[in-house]
């Protein structure tokens, strides 16, 4: 459940609906993802001065040199995260996110899974995200101010892990905190050549499938 926040005009339900139709036309087929994104008011996750652009399919600045991801990328990652590794498996219940940023991706996930754990290294951004979770009545998101590259061992194993900043590779520590039937989705590679990867367990061990070319801010060490 999400508290209903009325926008109007460029921030209203009609603007959100148009974005959803665009995502559908661009290949997002998972109705659960589209329904969740229809409900989350993205304009509340960015600066008021930019809210007229909230339902454009574009990444936008959120301060501290960081960005809220493009809606298509959020949809693509969420869809890849929900897709089970065997058809008989239930959807993920407990999900870890690295890179809370504005909190938008975590809010979308919170409507789809039981519990979201999310880690952010920049305290100022995390404070903003927490405020939005409260405002929207999202109670199943647990946050932490830390370097997320080492995951959150106290709450492991996770059914799924989503990394929303790009590293040179996927940290083995994160894969170690994933349930054997789990999925990890992360952008990997240098700024000009990032690819979205979906990791899962195979008979040969953890293996990645390349999904799409993407452009994320870098995964950085330490906290601010
Ligand atoms: N999921 C976010 C996207 C934020 S951009 C959203 O929906 O808005 C990526 C975020 O990852 C930034 O806020 C950045 O500060 C954070 N980040 C980068 N390296 C990190 C690390 N090692 N641990 C935790 N967060 C990190």
């Amino acid at each position: 459940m999400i508290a209903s926040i009325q926008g109007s005009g460029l921030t209203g339900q009609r603007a959100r609906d148009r974005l959803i139709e665009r995502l559908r036309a661009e290949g997002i087929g998972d109705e659960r993802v589209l329904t969740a994104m229809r409900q989350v008011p993205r304009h509340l996750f960015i600066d008021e001065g930019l809210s007229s652009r909230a339902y454009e399919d574009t990444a936008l600045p959120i301060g501290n040199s960081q960005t809220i991801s493009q809606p298509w990328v959020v949809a693509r990652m969420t869809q890849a995260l929900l897709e089970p590794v065997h058809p008989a498996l239930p959807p993920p219940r407990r999900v870890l996110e690295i890179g809370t940023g504005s909190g938008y991706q975590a809010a979308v996930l919170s409507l789809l899974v039981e519990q979201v754990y999310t880690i952010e290294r920049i305290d100022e951004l995390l404070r903003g995200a927490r405020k939005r979770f409260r405002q929207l009545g999202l109670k199943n998101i647990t946050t932490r101010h830390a370097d997320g590259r080492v995951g959150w061992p106290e709450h492991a194993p996770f059914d799924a892990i989503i990394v929303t900043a790009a590293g040179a590779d996927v940290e083995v520590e994160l894969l170690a905190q994933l349930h054997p039937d789990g999925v990890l989705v992360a952008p990997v590679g240098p700024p000009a050549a990032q690819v979205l990867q979906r990791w899962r367990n195979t008979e040969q061990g953890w293996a990645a499938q390349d999904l799409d070319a993407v452009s994320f801010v870098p995964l950085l060490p330490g906290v601010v």
Side-chain angles (χ1 to χ4, degrees):
M1 271 293 284
I2 187 162
S4 106
I5 306 276
Q6 305 294 344
S8 61
L10 289 171
T11 62
Q13 191 59 50
R14 292 261 298 281
R16 216 141 45 233
D17 288 346
R18 275 194 297 275
L19 172 64
I20 299 309
E21 287 321 309
R22 176 167 177 177
L23 296 177
R24 197 193 300 279
E26 285 173 3
I28 304 303
D30 190 324
E31 291 298 330
R32 295 169 297 179
V33 175
L34 294 169
T35 301
M37 288 182 67
R38 175 177 280 123
Q39 293 176 69
V40 180
R42 188 169 182 259
H43 64 281
L44 297 185
F45 290 80
I46 56 182
D47 238 38
E48 234 172 298
L50 285 170
S51 56
S52 66
R53 302 190 59 198
Y55 300 103
E56 290 176 14
D57 190 18
T58 180
L60 292 167
I62 55 172
N64 299 81
S65 307
Q66 305 303 317
T67 55
I68 181 172
S69 307
Q70 179 193 348
W72 185 85
V73 171
V74 171
R76 186 73 182 95
M77 291 178 90
T78 309
Q79 185 168 279
L81 206 72
L82 293 184
E83 193 188 313
V85 296
H86 313 294
L89 281 178
R93 291 192 307 118
R94 290 153 37 76
V95 176
L96 173 67
E97 178 191 34
I98 315 299
T100 316
S102 68
Y104 179 72
Q105 172 75 73
V108 170
L109 283 169
S110 78
L111 300 183
L112 294 163
V113 306
E114 265 174 46
Q115 188 64 42
V116 179
Y117 297 89
T118 183
I119 307 178
E120 171 58 55
R121 65 182 286 276
I122 302 178
D123 191 45
E124 194 181 339
L125 290 179
L126 191 57
R127 286 167 192 273
R130 285 189 186 126
K131 217 165 88 187
R132 296 178 185 111
F133 301 151
R134 270 198 306 275
Q135 181 185 10
L136 293 170
L138 302 174
K139 300 199 168 74
N140 60 340
I141 306 175
T142 310
T143 63
R144 181 185 194 183
H145 179 221
D147 180 344
R149 292 175 309 160
V150 294
W152 201 337
E154 294 84 350
H155 292 294
F158 300 98
D159 300 319
I161 299 180
I162 180 170
V163 186
T164 67
D169 209 339
V170 163
E171 309 281 337
V172 280
E173 265 142 306
L174 289 185
L175 291 172
Q177 292 172 35
L178 199 50
H179 186 277
D181 287 328
V183 172
L184 178 146
V185 177
V188 173
Q194 291 172 16
V195 61
L196 191 62
Q197 294 189 332
R198 182 175 186 265
W199 286 75
R200 64 185 181 85
N201 214 349
T202 68
E203 273 165 30
Q204 287 78 43
W206 291 104
Q209 179 197 358
D210 287 353
L211 299 180
D212 303 280
V214 286
S215 177
F216 276 83
V217 294
L219 194 65
L220 297 172
V223 295
V224 212

